[in-house]
Amino acid sequence: MRYLEGLNERQKEAVLSTEGPISVLAGAGSGKTRVLTTRIFHLLREGTPPEKILAVTFTNKAAREMRERLALLVGDGPLPLVATFHGLGRELLQSYGRVIGVPRYFSVYDRDDSERAIKDALKEMDIDPKEVPPRQILSRISKAKGEGMTAQSFKEKHGGEGFRSRIASEAWLKYDATLEKEKALDFDDLISKPVHLFEAHPEMRALVQERFSHIHVDEYQDTNELQGRLANMLAHKHRNLFVVGDIDQTIYTWRGATIENLLSFDETYPEAKTIVLEHNYRSTKTIVAASNAIIEKNKNRKEKRAVTDNPDGHPIRLHVSDTAEEEARFIARQARQFMREGMVPEEIAVLYRTNFQSRVLEEAFLAQGIPYRLLGTRFLDRKEVKDVIAWVRLALEPARESDRVRAVQAPPRGIGKVTVAKIAAGKTEGLPAAVRAKVDAFESLVQTLHEESKSAAPSAFVRRVIQLSGLEDALAKGGEDDQERLENAKELATLASRYDHVPGEEGIAAFLADTALAGDQDELDRPQTNEKNKKGVTLMTVHAAKGLEFDAVFVTGLEEGLFPHEGMNQEEERDEEEERRLFYVAMTRAKHHLVLTMARVRRIYGTDYLSEPSTFLHDIDPGLMQVNYGEEEHEDIIHI
């Protein structure tokens, strides 16, 4: 049994415990993926047929890596089914879905497809999509599906609660009719329909329960209520459910994930065995001690304290800059220093709490010629940013028809591309009176902004554009994704403030020229290198970093209100424990070097704000940190 060599006693226990429900509480860097794949291989060696084994995870990347590891262990033999939850749902519906009318071959709607279908449903109901945004309706439907509701049950429960609820319930019924007509499902259906299928048809449930004798679920803390029901249903007969998770890394509750599935596992399965993997193989003792101090402040967790045999390593470095621009330049210089010392750029990551922070970081890395890769969309390539730039260009030069086409639909105002084309061609005689009124209102707004552009400071003008165009109102009404898009749009005002010393058209034109030059560099989200493969320092949000590890990690913007982040609006308070878990995830991505940064002053939406150090920084033992402001060294954070 050489495949057990190198495993510690807890890891071996998890691999060799092949019967009954088992929860593995796996801390950061504890080797959980190795445990999962080795356990599956052990089951195969002990005679369990591969078709009886199921492994479910959350991302295609994780599923692919698990299959690759298993292939190395198994060789040429057949592999078990390893899939994401959505991939599993698709497989189950293809195998059993005809019982509830799901065709053998169906297409899957992406988010854009779904929004278009909801928009069509609203129009059919004589509801203006500008007044009731399709994205809001779709979010309501998605949340309800995640809670196990159908269109009919939602209508019965919420249809009489108010105007928006009635609209959502009717739109959902029409949306379902469209999906059925198109022989399509959306992503939520891939989970909800298998659950409804097996709950309503015991004979199908018995078939699928017999099919899988051993079920593994990775990242169990990220499951939602419906995914937990599906896992329990599949495991009901054999009760061989092996779940791996870490409550301390639950950072997706805003997507519907619930830590209750993991917290209450031993209540669901009283005979369950719990195995705790506390040994961290990734990080230095210093990083492990600091991250323990952060996460132990949370109350809603299971007791677990990471330990490591790794050396103490370097102290955690906290660097305080005057501004976000200075912070970014420091990070770029320090990254270059790591590279000079022999670290490959792919082993360096820069993490931030929100996407708008990426702009100054990109600029600093470009200025110093450091290769980087941006996970996610490059700041100036984001739709909401392009929308604002189109409005600014159109206001500066109202004859720009390409920008008119984009601006008139950002946000939508009932003027289509055909109408815009007629206006551009001077063929406005045949326009209906209602459409002509909308066109006149739009053109009047453009002219108003054109007049204001002659004297306004660039940053003030960008703020004015965001407000008068309707983008601010449209995005402010949305969910967390739209709130972040609004933050990105507002970040343009900060960029424009660099040109405030030249007010009016000249300063605005200079701002647009610089953004155009940057935008033309369509390889900026790729490394500045001649190599074909994407390489360079990685820039990404903390959420995107989950599951990854690097030799050196920068965690930026550690200021109160930014990280931990404030609630997205006045009605929504931030989840203090989730913000703390998010910081814990950020810290534990680092193997050898952890660098924390903050700015005393950060410009947001063109306005400078004095910053207070993040509350998280006060929870780290000062003896573990080297704090510096510029070249000046400090003994502890109290001096900040």
Side-chain angles (χ1 to χ4, degrees):
M1 299 175 74
R2 283 192 217 169
Y3 54 90
L4 297 178
E5 292 177 3
L7 297 177
N8 63 39
E9 290 306 310
R10 294 285 181 85
Q11 290 174 325
K12 285 180 184 177
E13 182 184 5
V15 168
L16 298 176
S17 300
T18 58
E19 300 300 316
I22 299 167
S23 68
V24 177
L25 305 181
S30 61
K32 70 178 180 64
T33 304
R34 183 182 180 187
V35 167
L36 270 168
T37 52
T38 306
R39 183 181 195 268
I40 293 171
F41 181 63
H42 177 68
L43 286 169
L44 293 170
R45 285 286 302 267
E46 293 294 300
T48 304
E51 64 271 17
K52 289 280 189 179
I53 301 173
L54 170 65
V56 188
T57 187
F58 272 82
T59 66
N60 289 319
K61 178 177 179 290
R64 183 173 61 252
E65 288 178 354
M66 194 179 297
R67 282 192 291 267
E68 289 171 354
R69 290 198 189 196
L70 279 171
L72 289 174
L73 290 169
V74 173
D76 295 330
L79 296 179
L81 176 60
V82 179
T84 63
F85 264 104
H86 291 105
L88 171 63
R90 185 179 183 121
E91 158 66 25
L92 294 174
L93 288 172
Q94 286 176 335
S95 298
Y96 311 103
R98 277 164 289 185
V99 174
I100 57 170
V102 176
R104 178 73 174 85
Y105 300 103
F106 54 84
S107 60
V108 178
Y109 267 25
D110 63 18
R111 186 80 177 181
D112 289 340
D113 294 328
S114 295
E115 284 190 20
R116 280 194 294 270
I118 295 291
K119 185 177 181 180
D120 290 341
L122 292 173
K123 287 181 177 179
E124 188 179 339
M125 298 161 58
D126 291 326
I127 301 295
D128 188 346
K130 298 198 304 296
E131 299 296 326
V132 183
R135 180 173 294 166
Q136 288 184 20
I137 299 298
L138 186 60
S139 294
R140 183 107 187 242
I141 293 172
S142 178
K143 185 174 185 294
K145 284 186 177 182
E147 295 169 353
M149 302 183 76
T150 64
Q152 191 59 45
S153 64
F154 180 86
K155 183 177 182 179
E156 292 169 1
K157 183 175 182 180
H158 299 293
E161 290 182 352
F163 175 73
R164 290 296 175 108
S165 294
R166 289 198 303 274
I167 294 300
S169 64
E170 292 300 323
W172 189 349
L173 289 168
K174 293 182 181 299
Y175 175 52
D176 274 0
T178 299
L179 289 171
E180 184 175 359
K181 180 182 176 182
E182 296 290 327
K183 295 183 178 180
L185 304 177
D186 65 17
F187 269 70
D188 296 306
D189 290 331
L190 296 178
I191 307 299
S192 63
K193 284 192 178 293
V195 171
H196 296 317
L197 162 64
F198 297 131
E199 287 180 343
H201 295 274
E203 72 284 4
M204 293 292 104
R205 184 167 70 243
L207 281 176
V208 76
Q209 287 172 348
E210 183 60 40
R211 177 176 172 181
F212 300 114
S213 64
H214 291 78
I215 298 169
H216 306 73
V217 183
D218 191 15
E219 304 288 7
Y220 198 62
Q221 78 282 346
D222 289 336
T223 53
N224 62 24
E225 191 270 341
L226 209 58
Q227 289 163 338
R229 276 166 62 184
L230 180 59
N232 290 330
M233 198 181 306
L234 296 180
H236 182 74
K237 179 178 181 179
H238 298 285
R239 299 183 76 78
N240 294 326
L241 179 59
F242 184 91
V243 302
V244 181
D246 184 4
I247 291 165
D248 296 335
Q249 296 188 66
T250 302
I251 59 175
Y252 294 116
T253 59
W254 52 276
R255 289 183 184 172
T258 173
I259 58 176
E260 291 305 315
N261 287 340
L262 188 55
L263 281 173
S264 63
F265 189 81
D266 50 1
E267 296 176 14
T268 306
Y269 299 94
E271 75 276 31
K273 175 191 286 189
T274 299
I275 301 171
V276 182
L277 303 183
E278 295 179 307
H279 200 105
N280 184 307
Y281 292 94
R282 176 186 300 158
S283 306
T284 63
K285 273 192 175 72
T286 297
I287 295 171
V288 168
S291 58
N292 277 338
I294 289 296
I295 202 60
E296 285 172 356
K297 293 272 185 174
N298 275 1
K299 294 182 172 59
N300 197 18
R301 64 189 294 264
K302 289 198 173 185
E303 187 59 35
K304 172 172 57 66
R305 183 175 177 83
V307 296
T308 186
D309 295 330
N310 291 336
D312 290 341
H314 305 277
I316 295 168
R317 186 172 180 183
L318 171 63
H319 186 88
V320 183
S321 301
D322 275 337
T323 66
E325 288 74 17
E326 288 183 14
E327 176 191 44
R329 288 194 292 271
F330 161 75
I331 291 168
R333 289 196 305 271
Q334 185 59 55
R336 180 177 291 285
Q337 182 61 35
F338 284 142
M339 292 161 63
R340 284 175 178 159
E341 293 169 0
M343 191 180 298
V344 295
E346 295 75 44
E347 281 295 334
I348 304 171
V350 182
L351 310 183
Y352 36 85
R353 176 62 179 83
T354 60
N355 272 312
F356 82 82
Q357 295 171 255
S358 69
R359 179 185 61 79
V360 290
L361 292 165
E362 286 187 76
E363 290 180 347
F365 276 76
L366 283 170
Q368 298 195 34
I370 300 173
Y372 72 90
R373 50 185 177 176
L374 184 71
L375 266 65
T377 307
R378 199 175 61 88
F379 179 79
L380 288 171
D381 285 342
R382 294 181 176 118
K383 178 185 180 300
E384 60 275 14
V385 172
K386 286 187 171 183
D387 288 341
V388 175
I389 290 174
W391 266 102
V392 173
R393 281 199 301 243
L394 180 62
L396 200 64
E397 178 47 73
R400 291 184 64 96
E401 293 304 329
S402 60
D403 289 322
R404 178 174 270 96
V405 172
R406 184 170 193 126
V408 81
Q409 299 174 87
R413 60 194 70 232
I415 304 174
K417 292 182 180 179
V418 174
T419 301
V420 173
K422 287 183 178 180
I423 297 169
K427 300 176 181 179
T428 60
E429 298 81 10
L431 291 178
V435 175
R436 186 56 192 256
K438 293 176 182 177
V439 170
D440 289 344
F442 171 75
E443 293 296 344
S444 176
L445 174 56
V446 172
Q447 192 58 40
T448 296
L449 288 171
H450 177 62
E451 292 300 320
E452 291 188 14
S453 71
K454 295 177 181 179
S455 58
S459 63
F461 186 69
V462 171
R463 290 196 295 270
R464 187 77 167 149
V465 162
I466 294 170
Q467 178 189 24
L468 291 187
S469 66
L471 284 167
E472 185 170 38
D473 283 345
L475 294 174
K477 292 175 183 175
E480 181 161 353
D481 288 345
D482 278 343
Q483 294 288 342
E484 183 158 302
R485 292 184 181 97
L486 180 57
E487 288 183 356
N488 290 334
K490 289 180 174 181
E491 177 65 1
L492 268 181
T494 297
L495 179 57
S497 67
R498 297 178 179 181
Y499 307 87
D500 282 353
H501 64 286
V502 186
E505 293 172 307
E506 183 180 353
I508 295 170
F511 157 67
L512 288 173
D514 282 0
T515 58
L517 287 173
D520 286 341
Q521 299 292 323
D522 50 16
E523 295 298 306
L524 283 186
D525 61 339
R526 297 195 176 108
Q528 310 307 298
T529 173
N530 292 326
E531 296 183 28
K532 291 183 179 180
N533 296 325
K534 287 188 176 184
K535 292 185 178 180
V537 176
T538 303
L539 312 182
M540 60 183 158
T541 64
V542 181
H543 282 100
K546 189 164 177 287
L548 304 177
E549 60 180 41
F550 301 89
D551 278 344
V553 170
F554 295 85
V555 185
T556 68
L558 281 164
E559 301 137 31
E560 195 64 19
L562 183 56
F563 201 1
H565 199 272
E566 294 289 359
M568 297 309 295
N569 52 55
Q570 291 182 348
E571 289 77 30
E572 176 188 349
E573 295 183 3
R574 73 185 182 200
D575 184 333
E576 296 284 358
E577 293 212 348
E578 179 138 346
E579 289 294 309
R580 189 171 288 276
R581 291 193 294 265
L582 196 58
F583 184 46
Y584 172 78
V585 167
M587 297 174 75
T588 54
R589 300 310 94 199
K591 292 190 280 189
H592 302 115
H593 297 272
L594 177 59
V595 184
L596 312 177
T597 67
M598 64 164 289
R600 287 181 180 271
V601 176
R602 190 171 296 271
R603 179 163 290 189
I604 300 174
Y605 201 9
T607 301
D608 289 338
Y609 292 92
L610 289 174
S611 302
E612 291 292 328
S614 169
T615 53
F616 299 148
L617 296 175
H618 296 279
D619 296 330
I620 301 174
D621 182 349
L624 300 175
M625 286 199 299
Q626 170 190 312
V627 184
N628 67 293
Y629 175 75
E631 299 299 319
E632 183 182 356
E633 297 287 337
H634 295 287
E635 292 181 359
D636 57 53
I637 195 170
I638 295 173
H639 297 294
I640 297 175

